[in-house]
């Protein structure tokens, strides 16, 4: 398989109500810098006609009360499949040739308006090219359809510092709350169905769901990773606190791959720990450092259909790819691709990588494609 070439042709999805400074620094300034580094005249011509999709401003008081007056088009309808913790996308390798990451979309910028973020701590893919973004500081959840149109899940209850979320089914999702110290099950219409963990968690952070509907939740203060039933009943904790290899230090995000393995970003130990579906420890990999395969506080993790592991290496400003057994393969994207301090990461079924990032806080969702078909489609659209 031939390596795919990078393309400067990019769809920018942003809020027109941002200030000129925000647009220049957050989006346009970076893209101009990237375009200046691209010597291909055809790519430059393609990028010169980038399409901007406007969205309406959002109320500055962040009122999340129910609003049934908002009209939804067909693309905004939340038609999703039941989540089983993974997608069927696969990184395919041919000898030493790897698929290249092509920047294709950027969602949002810094702000409180609809479609903007203050701290996009997590992102999840679901349905047909939809994504769900958790914004801790703005205290809200936002979905984007495949055209980049944002829709805030307007809740009848106050979201208090939501940290991470996961789609359960076509009409439900689960959210961890740092301030409330609970996990809440919420409908896509914003109604709270039930909560659990109020007397259990110290600071719930990451959340994942397995094929049996069990929740796996990290607690960044108690240094625990716990498994719960779909009804919120505690089952067991992962790891052995007396084992130097298995004990956690500031565990952040967690992911369940296509084979049922539970993958935990052990941020404080700068490593990744893998357990089977029964909670038995399998292996760990990674160490502190800047060299290839090392980490500086890994934040989020996801995988493809073959179990290859994708890690957001926060302070190394990169997203790295590992085999199912933890062997380092390559860095997928880095600061050279416009990435800074990645937090949330997700891989869609059509091989698009969604990453929340920003220099101080995560204020953009940047999307890369590993498909030459996507690159050609965006070239045609932008010309």
């Amino acid at each position: 398989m031939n390596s795919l070439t990078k393309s400067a042709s990019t769809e920018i999805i942003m809020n027109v109500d941002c200030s000129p400074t925000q647009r220049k620094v957050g989006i346009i300034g970076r893209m101009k810098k990237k375009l200046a580094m691209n010597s291909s005249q055809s790519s430059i011509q393609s990028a010169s006609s980038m399409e901007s999709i406007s969205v309406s401003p959002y109320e500055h008081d962040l009122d999340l009360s129910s609003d049934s007056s908002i009209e939804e088009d067909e693309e905004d309808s939340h038609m999703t499949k039941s989540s089983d913790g993974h997608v069927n996308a696969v990184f395919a390798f041919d000898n030493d040739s790897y698929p290249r990451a092509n920047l294709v979309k950027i969602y949002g910028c810094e702000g409180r308006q609809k479609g903007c973020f203050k701290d996009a701590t997590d992102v999840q893919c679901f349905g047909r090219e939809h994504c769900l973004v958790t914004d801790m500081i703005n205290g809200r959840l936002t979905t984007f359809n495949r055209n980049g149109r944002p829709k805030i899940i307007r809740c009848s209850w106050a979201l208090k510092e939501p940290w991470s979320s996961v789609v359960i089914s076509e009409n439900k999702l689960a959210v961890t709350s740092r301030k409330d110290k609970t996990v809440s099950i919420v409908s896509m219409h914003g109604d709270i169905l039930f909560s659990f963990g109020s007397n259990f968690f110290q600071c719930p952070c990451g959340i994942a769901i397995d094929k049996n509907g069990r929740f796996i939740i990290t607690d960044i203060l108690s240094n625990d990773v716990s498994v719960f039933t779909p009804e919120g009943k505690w089952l067991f904790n992962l790891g052995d606190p007396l084992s130097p290899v298995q004990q956690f230090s500031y565990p952040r995000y967690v992911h369940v791959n296509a084979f049922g393995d539970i993958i935990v970003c052990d941020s404080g130990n700068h490593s990744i720990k893998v357990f089977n579906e029964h909670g038995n420890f399998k292996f760990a990999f990674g160490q502190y450092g800047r060299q290839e395969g090392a980490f500086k506080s890994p934040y989020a993790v996801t995988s493809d259909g073959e179990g290859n592991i994708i890690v957001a290496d926060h302070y190394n400003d990169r997203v790295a790819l590992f085999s199912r057994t933890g062997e380092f393969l390559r860095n997928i994207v880095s600061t050279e691709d416009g990435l800074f301090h990645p937090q949330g990461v997700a891989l869609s079924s059509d091989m698009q990588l969604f990453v929340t990032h920003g220099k101080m806080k995560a204020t953009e969702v940047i999307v890369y494609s590993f498909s030459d078909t996507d690159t050609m489609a965006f070239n045609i659209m932008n010309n």
Side-chain angles (χ1 to χ4, degrees), residues 117-337:
F117 312 106
K118 281 291 188 178
D119 190 9
T121 47
D122 192 21
V123 60
Q124 297 291 325
C125 296
F126 67 99
R128 296 174 53 196
E129 303 176 40
H130 287 63
C131 72
L132 168 68
V133 182
T134 308
D135 188 340
M136 180 183 288
I137 293 180
N138 276 333
R140 65 193 183 201
L141 306 172
T142 303
T143 62
F144 291 85
N145 68 8
R146 60 181 178 178
N147 295 323
R149 177 172 296 183
K151 180 180 183 299
I152 295 173
I153 298 178
R154 296 181 174 272
C155 298
S156 57
W157 53 288
L159 282 172
K160 297 180 180 178
E161 299 183 5
W163 197 323
S164 182
S165 57
V166 63
V167 176
I168 301 173
S169 64
E170 65 179 22
N171 58 4
K172 290 191 299 184
L173 54 91
V175 189
T176 61
S177 170
R178 182 174 71 173
K179 189 169 185 178
D180 285 339
K181 303 177 183 180
T182 60
V183 174
S184 295
I185 311 302
V186 186
S187 75
M188 283 293 188
H189 298 292
D191 300 318
I192 182 169
L193 304 178
F194 69 92
S195 298
F196 65 90
S198 59
N199 297 318
F200 184 92
F201 298 116
Q202 294 185 32
C203 187
C205 178
I207 184 171
I209 186 172
D210 68 9
K211 62 183 180 182
N212 297 315
R214 301 182 307 177
F215 298 111
I216 300 93
I217 301 163
T218 63
D219 191 317
I220 201 168
L221 288 187
S222 68
N223 294 321
D224 290 324
V225 180
S226 307
V227 180
F228 292 80
T229 67
E231 296 74 30
K233 180 181 179 181
W234 177 83
L235 293 175
F236 57 87
N237 286 352
L238 300 180
D240 181 356
L242 300 180
S243 168
V245 178
Q246 297 187 38
Q247 63 184 210
F248 296 106
S249 175
Y250 299 104
R252 286 187 178 266
Y253 292 20
V254 59
H255 171 75
V256 179
N257 69 12
F259 305 93
D261 292 336
I262 302 170
I263 309 169
V264 183
C265 278
D266 192 7
S267 182
N269 287 320
H270 311 284
S271 65
I272 304 297
K273 291 180 169 58
V274 181
F275 300 80
N276 67 16
E277 61 182 319
H278 304 294
N280 298 320
F281 178 76
K282 295 183 68 174
F283 63 92
F285 63 92
Q287 59 183 349
Y288 178 82
R290 294 189 60 87
Q291 67 270 29
E292 292 184 342
F295 302 111
K296 283 188 177 181
S297 295
Y299 270 38
V301 60
T302 188
S303 67
D304 66 15
E306 290 295 319
N308 296 314
I309 300 170
I310 304 164
V311 182
D313 190 356
H314 186 74
Y315 288 110
N316 276 329
D317 298 313
R318 64 195 182 195
V319 176
L321 176 67
F322 298 82
S323 72
R324 182 184 172 187
T325 58
E327 176 188 2
F328 174 77
L329 298 177
R330 65 183 285 259
N331 292 319
I332 300 176
V333 290
S334 64
T335 51
E336 295 180 356
D337 302 286

Side-chain angles (χ1 to χ4, degrees), residues 6-9 34-49 379 382-383:
K6 289 186 179 180
S7 170
S9 176
K34 289 180 67 63
L35 293 178
M37 297 173 61
N38 194 318
S39 60
S40 172
Q41 184 63 28
S42 61
S43 295
I44 295 176
Q45 292 174 351
S46 172
S48 65
S49 59
N379 284 339
N382 292 322
N383 278 320

